[in-house]
Amino acid sequence: MAGGSEMLRNGADSREAELETYLHDLCSEVTLWSKKEGFFSHYVEQIDEQVSEDFLAKFGKLKTDEARFRKMWEIKPIHTLKVQSFYKEKSRQVSEERRADGNKAFQNKKYQQALILYSQAVMRAPYDEGDSYALALANRSAVLHHLGDHRRCLTDIDLAFRADYPPALAYKVLDRRGQCYLKLRQYRAAEEAFTAAAKALSASDLADKKLVTWQKDLAKKIDLSQTQKEDEAEESCPSQSSSAASLFGGASAVLPNASAAVSLHVSKDEGRFAVVNRKVPAGKVLMAERPYSSVLMDDKSGFNCTHCYARLVAPVPCRWCSGVAFCSPKCRDVALASYHRWECRFLDLLKGSGVSINVHLALRVATQHGLHFFKKLRDRLGQPPVLPSASSPHHPEDYLSFYHLAGLEEMRSAKDFFHRTLIAVFLLKILQRAHFFGKWDDEGPPDKGLTEDEALVGGLLLRHLQVSQFNAHELSGMGFADGDNNYKVTKSVFLGLAVYPTIAFCNHSCFPAVARYFEGDRMVIVTLRPLNPGDAIAENYGPIFTHHRKQERQRKLLSRYWFRCRCEACEGDWPVYDLMPDRRTLRCQTCTSPLPFRMENKSHVKCSECGASCNAVETYKAVDKANKLYASGLVHMDEGRREEAIKDFRMFVDAVCLLVAPPYKELHLAMQSLRLLVAAGGTIHTPLPPKAK
């Protein structure tokens, strides 16, 4: 969120202001912890009882986040909270039980069930204790081979050998490796694998007769591999291929993750916000950005990669815990080298505390960098934010691009700051015990004085909690009810939370101009309707006018984002779908203003804004012609032809926006269909959650 349409303090009467204050205080706590789950809400209640109004008033007058953090640390009762490692540990016994169950399923040719059971065995197996991990991987490679997933089979085989797979069994797995390479038409690699398998027979405990059979079989496979003189071109891996979106007009020199058609404006009421600097039709990509930081939801950790959010098929475990899973060794190694090394042993503590995913995101911004990064950054933190320009372009990968996003600290109450600082202390205690600041003495006093490094990071954690409240986006996948081509019964499925520093410049509208979809964790922003120079690139923060009445939208936005929306749908108090009249309000074809309603016997209407005489009959004919595109788009959508449907809806929207002033039911229905079709282009597909009974 770059800024609101009109901030809370602008012109509301005292009664309304009290309601607004109540709403945003109520929602602010929801972004920190659950009232129903976990221990943290009870801890806060206990601390609140011991803090006087006078202390709270003085606390509210502190000017910096570091000063607030230092003051909070001095409160003795806050250190009664016991912070210690709590996570899902490995279990050799559980792993071997799951592997035995997987063997039974595999023997009964229940391959999908076997895959799940073997994956559970892989996840729970100790990484460096015995051979349960290597055996589970090798068994899973067998079922992947039967399912025709040769690349993942090869990955499991590689991991099994790195985990010291027993030499006496190596010949089987090496043979499987060779068979995968044959299927992938990588003949040199296949020959090497079969040759290695033949050599490995010497370490096996096969009886003589079986040994001879294996030797003959491998000799034939080596000969087969050698008949191909050259490897054929390797097919691209489906999970890695991507039709990455291209920015409309190329990338901006000022905003590298945005189109050249995007500029930034700044105003007192709306802060920094994105606009277009030229005409942009519907269906054009204006922004595409990977997150600065992101966190997967707890309940998705068994279904999606903790690092890249890809759907899990053959999960790769953390070396230490069983609470997270990765889609590949690459994602695992990146996570273990950065954030997960600090978070690993405290994930269940975070979950059990009841703190929100926003809180985890605030921690992740710290753990993904490490202490040395922030120590080097200290001198830059005092630099004021600068509006990006040609001489000073935006750097979305820079920490300061996150740090300077709107936190609305000038609007926060003393109580809000107190509670957020209390959360920051909890997070710092986790970092202390994770040895983020160096060795931690578990026997030492929990309230010992802060070091300069701890005070620095504590203040930054408090800043992260403010920024994440207003700038975090849902990261989602698409769920399809009946196959991937059923575009009418789809739903966005919440997977995690992320901050996108460039996309955060998009303000809200209840009549949004753009839709989003995800290429992995990369968010792509696409226009839903044509935009003219100076138009805001407005996305929707949740309440949309077609489904929510104005008062409901205003209350939600005031409570969650602390602004009063002044978009055209709110200013015009547009009706929801069900109450939208069938009457069409034509536009003047000279100045685009809405025309007065035409009487049936009049062919021309005079524009009240510019005075031009407009041929209403011809305009109606043009609208009727455009409606044929809308009907065609619906047919294509019903038949699962996504690209054809998108083309028809885009052409319809572009045409109708020039002819008819909103609200217009068919226009909004077409935009909603276009939103679903655009979102379905994402690379993360996930099952729809079960319906509540």
Side-chain angles (χ1 to χ4, degrees), residues 358-369:
N358 293 71
V359 172
H360 195 171
L361 181 61
L363 177 66
R364 177 63 54 83
V365 176
T367 56
Q368 72 185 30
H369 291 300

Side-chain angles (χ1 to χ4, degrees), residues 439-516:
K439 188 175 180 181
W440 172 258
D441 180 11
D442 287 322
E443 302 301 323
D447 60 343
K448 67 179 181 180
L450 290 168
T451 67
E452 289 300 309
D453 292 341
E454 289 168 342
L456 168 66
V457 173
L460 293 178
L461 287 169
L462 177 53
R463 176 63 185 169
H464 300 171
L465 289 166
Q466 297 167 66
V467 170
S468 66
Q469 180 180 357
F470 300 116
N471 296 280
H473 279 83
E474 287 188 4
L475 197 158
S476 59
M478 285 300 294
F480 293 81
D482 300 303
D484 287 358
N485 290 328
N486 187 345
Y487 297 110
K488 295 190 75 173
V489 187
T490 62
K491 185 177 181 180
S492 177
V493 179
F494 182 23
L495 299 178
L497 209 61
V499 175
Y500 297 86
T502 306
I503 296 171
F505 291 131
C506 294
N507 276 355
H508 164 84
S509 172
C510 300
F511 176 43
V514 297
R516 67 181 77 137

Side-chain angles (χ1 to χ4, degrees), residues 401-464:
S401 70
F402 168 82
Y403 181 82
H404 286 309
L405 290 173
L408 303 190
E409 56 272 18
E410 71 281 2
M411 297 172 62
R412 294 188 183 276
S413 66
K415 183 179 179 182
D416 181 274
F417 268 127
F418 186 81
H419 286 163
R420 287 183 186 275
T421 310
L422 199 57
I423 288 274
V425 167
F426 174 53
L427 297 181
L428 188 92
K429 286 177 176 288
I430 289 175
L431 292 178
Q432 285 178 328
R433 287 148 183 82
H435 307 293
F436 187 86
F437 301 99
K439 188 175 180 181
W440 172 258
D441 180 11
D442 287 322
E443 302 301 323
D447 60 343
K448 67 179 181 180
L450 290 168
T451 67
E452 289 300 309
D453 292 341
E454 289 168 342
L456 168 66
V457 173
L460 293 178
L461 287 169
L462 177 53
R463 176 63 185 169
H464 300 171

Side-chain angles (χ1 to χ4, degrees), residues 555-567:
R555 290 278 172 86
K556 285 184 176 181
L557 293 167
L558 279 168
S559 61
R560 178 65 181 84
Y561 295 102
W562 300 5
F563 70 85
R564 184 184 298 280
C565 184
R566 298 299 187 195
C567 73

